[in-house]
């Protein structure tokens, strides 16, 4: 029954046009293309921000350079990453939100999360680990435990991981090239957090 309910809800999400027909603020400036991967088997949930231009064009989550970096962080192949038995992907905004005047992606649309996220997550009770990527996802999944900045939140990853038994949460910066400077200034991310992350991922992939 859960599988049928999950399929039904996923189909509703993929057909969603709320950001055009009932927008909170300006409507989405292009045709919606919700991107989501739900699963009754995956024990790991990737909770990102919103699709970028390449993901919008293909309909495949993290199908870009950021995805390559994320897969490297996780220590998984492309085949493992896109196997829905391994990973579910539920971003804060399901559609590409458009870009600002400087060419950067806008924040996730505000309509998506309140309408769809909790019902979708409720239908995936097998999730054991959430990768909270970026400040919007961390606000949702960590709440009051989030720091004053993304850096502070990620630096506090050990306490955040230990604060919930199921699902565990690991906060991550967005794997965008725009965060390369932050990564260079925080070498502990590569030497301390990533080995732990890769171990957690491999354990849950069996």
């Amino acid at each position: 029954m859960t599988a049928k309910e999950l399929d039904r809800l996923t189909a509703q999400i993929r057909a969603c046009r709320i950001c055009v027909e009932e927008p909170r603020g300006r409507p989405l400036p292009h045709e919606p293309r919700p991107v989501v991967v739900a699963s009754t088997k995956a024990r790991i949930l990737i909770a990102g921000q919103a699709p970028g231009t390449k993901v919008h064009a293909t309909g495949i989550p993290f199908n870009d350079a950021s995805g390559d970096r994320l897969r490297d962080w996780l220590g998984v192949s492309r085949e493992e990453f896109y196997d829905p038995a391994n990973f579910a992907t539920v971003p804060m905004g399901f559609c590409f939100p458009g870009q600002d005047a400087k060419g950067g992606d806008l924040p996730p649309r505000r309509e998506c999360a309140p309408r769809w996220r909790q019902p979708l997550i409720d239908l995936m009770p097998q999730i054991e680990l959430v990768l909270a990527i970026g400040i919007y996802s961390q606000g949702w999944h960590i709440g009051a435990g989030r720091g004053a900045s993304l850096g502070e939140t990620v630096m506090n990853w050990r306490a955040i991981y230990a604060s919930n038994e199921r699902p565990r949460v690991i906060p991550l910066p967005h794997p965008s090239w725009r965060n390369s400077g932050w990564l260079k200034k925080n070498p502990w991310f590569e030497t301390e957090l990533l080995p732990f992350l890769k171990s957690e991922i491999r354990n849950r992939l069996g």
Side-chain angles (χ1 to χ4, degrees):
M1 192 65 185
T2 299
K4 290 182 179 180
E5 290 175 340
L6 190 60
D7 287 345
R8 188 181 303 116
L9 182 58
T10 302
Q12 291 174 344
I13 292 172
R14 288 178 175 152
C16 179
R17 295 179 55 80
I18 187 175
C19 52
V20 172
E21 297 172 356
E22 303 174 47
R24 295 177 61 181
R26 292 184 179 182
L28 191 72
H30 49 260
E31 188 66 16
R33 189 177 190 177
V35 178
V36 61
V37 177
S39 173
T40 58
K41 297 181 179 179
R43 293 193 287 168
I44 305 166
L45 172 64
I46 299 175
Q49 297 191 137
T53 53
K54 291 184 178 179
V55 174
H56 176 70
T58 63
I60 302 172
F62 289 100
N63 188 32
D64 51 19
S66 294
D68 292 338
R69 175 179 266 178
L70 178 61
R71 286 183 280 277
D72 181 62
W73 286 356
L74 305 181
V76 299
S77 67
R78 188 177 176 88
E79 291 71 25
E80 288 175 312
F81 186 82
Y82 288 114
D83 185 344
N86 293 334
F87 296 95
T89 304
V90 182
M92 294 304 298
F94 295 110
C95 290
F96 170 53
Q99 296 178 321
D100 60 26
K102 296 182 179 179
D105 289 355
L106 291 169
R109 295 290 305 192
R110 293 182 293 164
E111 301 90 350
C112 296
R115 174 70 66 92
W116 302 116
R117 286 195 102 248
Q118 198 58 55
L120 188 58
I121 291 171
D122 288 344
L123 290 174
M124 296 189 288
Q126 82 284 354
I127 294 295
E128 298 177 0
L129 179 66
V130 175
L131 308 181
I133 301 174
I135 59 174
Y136 300 101
S137 175
Q138 289 160 14
W140 178 282
H141 289 281
I142 300 171
R146 188 180 58 149
S149 66
L150 181 141
E152 184 177 319
T153 301
V154 178
M155 188 175 293
N156 197 35
W157 65 271
R158 290 184 180 86
I160 291 170
Y161 177 87
S163 64
N164 295 300
E165 290 189 6
R166 188 184 179 97
R168 301 281 190 177
V169 179
I170 297 179
L172 298 172
H174 194 280
S176 167
W177 63 269
R178 295 176 183 272
N179 284 331
S180 295
W182 184 90
L183 295 171
K184 289 181 179 179
K185 294 177 181 177
N186 295 276
W188 55 265
F189 178 80
E190 183 174 351
T191 59
E192 299 176 22
L193 195 159
L194 288 189
F196 180 85
L197 175 63
K198 290 177 180 177
S199 176
E200 287 290 294
I201 298 299
R202 193 50 55 188
N203 287 341
R204 285 171 172 78
L205 296 186

